Each structure stands twice: as structure tokens, then as C-alpha cells.
Amino acid sequence: MISARYRDIGVRMENFQAALPEYVKQAGWSVKKTIPGQNSFMFELKKGFFDKATIKVRGVPQDVYVEVDGSQELMDIAEQALANSCDNPAALVGWKEQAKQQAMELAKGFAGIMQPSMPQAQVPPLQTPAPKPAAPKLEACMHCAAPLTYDPEEVLVICGYCGYINNTTGEQPPRYSMLPVVVNGSQAMEIAKDHAAKGILVTRGMAERADWGSIILRYVPNWAVTVQIEGDVEGKRALIKTKDARSQVAQEVAMQALGGALGGIFGGAGRGAGRAMRDRGERMSVSEAMDVSVVARKAAEFQPDAGAYKIPLDKKEPFRKTGEETLNVEIRAQEALERARSLALQELRSRYTFVSRFSVGAYPVGDSELIYSPWWFIEYRMGGRSFSVIVDACSGSVIAGQRPWLPKGVAKGR
Ligand SMILES: [Zn+2]
């Protein structure tokens, strides 16, 4: 909660009341509820699926108290609306300045600086909210009442009887769907061998002769999140030209995102080398919607190689119970949004070899969707060591290659 008190600026309360919703709407918030009033009013706000906030205002023109239960950004917006709804904006002391002054006064040992009739302006709290008390764990399926068993880490649990996805807090489950198995086990094995053969000093023959061990299918939950990235980047962009179709697509996407200003550079330098890199330092504005997937499991063995996994969203279908083992969700939607933001920024950053300024915001848009994706986990031994490859059973792409076998969570059959 952030609050501030504004004195002697001549607030036109009715103007402020009318202006505030317009300002917050411009910042992407919608007004869910309004409680109007002459000397006090309140707005309940919502943004996307998860963000909620409240703005409360009370007072008289020469002494107004504003309280924001939400982000600092929202307090800035409220203050902007206030500055444009008063007679003497020059006299406005901003909430950050107020907080600073108050901290200094407290430090000096002054007390009682606030009139008792008004709530005390507060130093903005740290951004980490207090952890909520643990909700009682769900013991029976909310759909069919069959008993549920699951690990304490798991937060969305599939009923073994009816296939319903239970939120262990008892709340409604999120939107969810699944992907079909298109690539069968022997096809996945061929894809894995091709992938292994691309390794340094490995030939297809060696890959063929390696000791190919177990292959298992697991449905792995992924959060699909769309992240809007907006801002400016100043630096040197890496252009990597490879024969790999996926890299080319990534490069085209990057070019589109970055304004296509470099169109002429491709095909020039490094042709024939198969791989060419050119640097260019410049300032570019970035505005792009990025689809990001976040694996809803905590263990490292399920995390795809950087940039390797794109959910084939065009193939998704309604979730149904299959005979295959399906992993439960350990990462909640809210946490996935945070990870998706940082993954999107990492992806953007990786398009540059050098960055002198990186002023980019990442904002999740819309609700995230849970997608159960079938992945083949394939083991092989080569040169006395065990490795594993993960192949997407829907798209046939390699999600991760050459990592030590055996993934713990897979080995124990979960
Ligand atoms: Zn059930």
C-alpha cells in the first residue's frame, strides 16, 4: 500500500474523480467498481487476469489523501491525474518525496508530524508481499470426489479417476488444453539419433552404434504466456546465419521486430561460410508480442534448452485423460508470468552481442493457458557416458539434447 497527502494545491475534487479513471485506462487498467462521493471516492481496478488494485481518495481541496493498493506505477498515474486536476500543481509534493522526507524525519527522531485525524503517509513497502497462509490441501477430486494423492509441491493435480484438473487451493482451475502425439516412439528415436549425430566429432554412424536405451513418453505441463515487450535498445545486434531453418525463422522474427532496418545485410558477408556474424551499434525501439512457454515443473531436467521450445499452439486440443503419465503442475500461473517476462527479456537480449542501453519493459497480456505437451525422453550411452534427448512428440522438434541421464523425476516414473 502506498499513500500520500497533498496539501495546499487546490484540488478540484470532481475533476480529479473524473480524470483518474481516464488516466488508469490509458495505462491498461479497467475500472471494475466505482464508489463516487463528494469528499471521498474509490476505484477498484483490474488489469489482465491477475492484477488488481484499489485507489482511494478522501479529503478537501486543500488537503487530500490518496491511497493506492497496487503498484508504484499506479501511484504515479494517480499523482499525474491529481496534478492535472488542481489549481496549483507547482506546489504538489510527490509521494516519493513525501516518503523520503518522512523517512528522514523519522530518522531524526521527530514524532507526531501527522495530524491524528488523518492516516499517516507511509514509506512505500518493499515489493515482496507477505506470503499467504497455506490453504488447506485438497483431499478429494472436486469433480468426482475420488481421493487425490500428490506431492506437496504440486499445485494443480489431475484426478486419476476422471481426469479433472484440481486446483489444490480449491479455486477454479485455469484454462487448459493438450497437444496430440504425432511423432511415435521409433520416429522420435530417429530424430534423437540425427540430433546426436550433429554433436561435435559425432558421425551418424557413431550415433547409430551408440547404445540407445530407454524411451518414455510423459505429458509435461507448460504455461503459454504472451508477453508484450516495449522499449529501446542501444547496442550491437548479432546476426547469425545458419542452415538451420529454425534459426532463420528466429532471425526473420528478430528482423521484423527490430524494424527490418538491416534487410540488405543478409546474403552479403560470410556467404559460403554457413555462418556469418555482423555487428552494428544503433538505437532501436522494440515493440513486439512474444509467445513464451514456461515449464510448470521446478526440476531442471524438464527445462528446455534456451530458445529450443515453442509450443505448437495451432495443434492444441481439449484436455482428456490418456493412458500416459501426465505430470502435475508445480509452478503457479502468477509465478509463470514472472518467469515469462524474464524469458522474453533474455530472448531479446540474446539478439545482441553488445548492449549499451537496455530500457525495455515486458508485460504479460491476456490470460496464460496451461498446455499439457507430450515429450519423449530418450536415453543413450556413448563413450561410456549417458545422455538424454527430449523430443516434442507433437512437433518432432528437439527440446533438449545431450544432457546427463537419467532425469530424476522421469526415472522415478512421475
Ligand atoms: Zn475426479
Side-chain angles (χ1 to χ4, degrees):
M1 176 113 60
I2 307 165
S3 59
R5 188 175 169 188
Y6 304 90
R7 271 175 284 197
D8 305 323
I9 58 171
V11 178
R12 295 169 180 265
M13 295 296 278
E14 68 285 3
N15 291 14
F16 185 33
Q17 194 168 171
L20 192 49
E22 299 310 315
Y23 277 75
V24 299
K25 280 178 202 162
Q26 273 177 27
W29 293 84
S30 55
V31 178
K32 286 287 132 197
K33 191 177 168 192
T34 305
I35 301 179
Q38 205 170 17
N39 295 317
S40 73
F41 50 89
M42 188 193 86
F43 297 103
E44 276 179 24
L45 309 174
K46 193 163 181 268
K47 189 182 201 174
F49 200 56
F50 298 102
D51 283 348
K52 284 186 185 136
T54 312
I55 302 180
K56 290 179 188 165
V57 177
R58 63 179 174 279
V60 292
Q62 301 302 353
D63 194 351
V64 169
Y65 177 78
V66 177
E67 184 182 290
V68 170
D69 194 355
S71 66
Q72 299 195 354
E73 180 212 5
L74 212 45
M75 189 69 193
D76 288 335
I77 291 166
E79 206 163 75
Q80 194 63 49
L82 182 68
N84 287 333
S85 313
C86 69
D87 294 331
N88 189 10
L92 189 151
V93 179
W95 68 271
K96 283 177 186 150
E97 183 59 29
Q98 290 186 27
K100 208 192 300 171
Q101 283 175 6
Q102 194 175 26
M104 280 161 59
E105 281 165 11
L106 283 173
K108 282 190 223 146
F110 291 138
I113 50 170
M114 289 291 162
Q115 290 170 16
S117 62
M118 294 298 268
Q120 189 168 317
Q122 290 165 343
V123 176
L126 294 174
Q127 283 300 301
T128 44
K132 284 181 191 163
K137 282 282 185 178
L138 201 65
E139 289 179 353
C141 173
M142 293 179 68
H143 184 249
C144 75
L148 282 181
T149 52
Y150 51 95
D151 286 350
E153 299 246 284
E154 296 174 343
V155 294
L156 292 174
V157 179
I158 300 168
C159 172
Y161 294 86
C162 73
Y164 181 78
I165 297 179
N166 290 274
N167 193 333
T168 57
T169 61
E171 292 162 57
Q172 281 284 39
R175 212 151 53 97
Y176 57 88
S177 55
M178 76 190 308
L179 293 171
V181 175
V182 175
V183 173
N184 67 27
S186 58
Q187 289 166 330
M189 194 63 104
E190 288 308 305
I191 291 167
K193 284 177 183 175
D194 283 343
H195 180 81
K198 280 188 200 156
I200 297 166
L201 304 177
V202 178
T203 63
R204 174 75 207 200
M206 286 164 70
E208 206 61 63
R209 287 190 301 276
D211 180 12
W212 290 87
S214 58
I215 170 164
I216 52 175
L217 185 72
R218 292 286 180 269
Y219 279 88
V220 178
N222 282 267
W223 290 105
V225 184
T226 303
V227 178
Q228 181 71 30
I229 50 177
E230 296 284 345
D232 292 301
V233 180
E234 210 171 272
K236 289 185 175 176
R237 183 167 39 218
L239 292 184
I240 300 160
K241 197 167 183 175
T242 71
K243 284 176 255 172
D244 181 356
R246 194 194 308 134
S247 302
Q248 270 173 6
V249 170
Q251 201 164 76
E252 279 161 22
V253 170
M255 287 217 22
Q256 270 177 1
L258 299 168
L262 302 181
I265 285 189
F266 287 107
R271 198 202 303 257
R275 181 189 166 98
M277 219 192 279
R278 280 286 288 263
D279 288 339
R280 248 192 154 189
E282 58 186 284
R283 182 175 170 175
M284 280 145 295
S285 49
V286 178
S287 175
E288 179 185 347
M290 222 186 253
D291 287 327
V292 179
S293 63
V294 177
V295 182
R297 296 289 291 194
K298 290 181 177 165
E301 56 262 30
F302 298 108
Q303 307 307 317
D305 292 343
Y309 188 52
K310 276 261 174 282
I311 299 179
L313 285 170
D314 53 319
K315 298 209 179 87
K316 74 180 184 192
E317 34 187 64
F319 180 84
R320 66 187 195 295
K321 200 169 163 318
T322 69
E324 304 294 343
E325 183 121 21
T326 303
L327 303 180
N328 283 329
V329 170
E330 292 177 343
I331 309 273
R332 286 196 182 280
Q334 184 63 53
E335 193 182 338
L337 290 184
E338 280 310 306
R339 290 194 187 194
R341 289 180 63 210
S342 74
L343 286 170
L345 292 175
Q346 278 170 33
E347 160 66 23
L348 180 67
R349 176 63 183 83
S350 73
R351 297 175 191 166
Y352 297 83
T353 55
F354 167 76
V355 165
S356 54
R357 184 166 170 273
F358 194 81
S359 168
V360 183
Y363 316 96
V365 287
D367 0 334
S368 42
E369 182 173 2
L370 188 59
I371 311 233
Y372 289 89
S373 310
W375 290 0
W376 288 108
F377 293 80
I378 303 164
E379 178 205 7
Y380 66 99
R381 285 186 70 81
M382 203 190 281
R385 292 180 61 199
S386 285
F387 301 96
S388 72
V389 178
I390 305 175
V391 176
D392 181 346
C394 180
S395 70
S397 62
V398 173
I399 296 164
Q402 300 209 335
R403 46 180 60 189
W405 193 259
L406 260 169
K408 201 171 60 202
V410 172
K412 82 178 182 209
R414 291 200 48 92

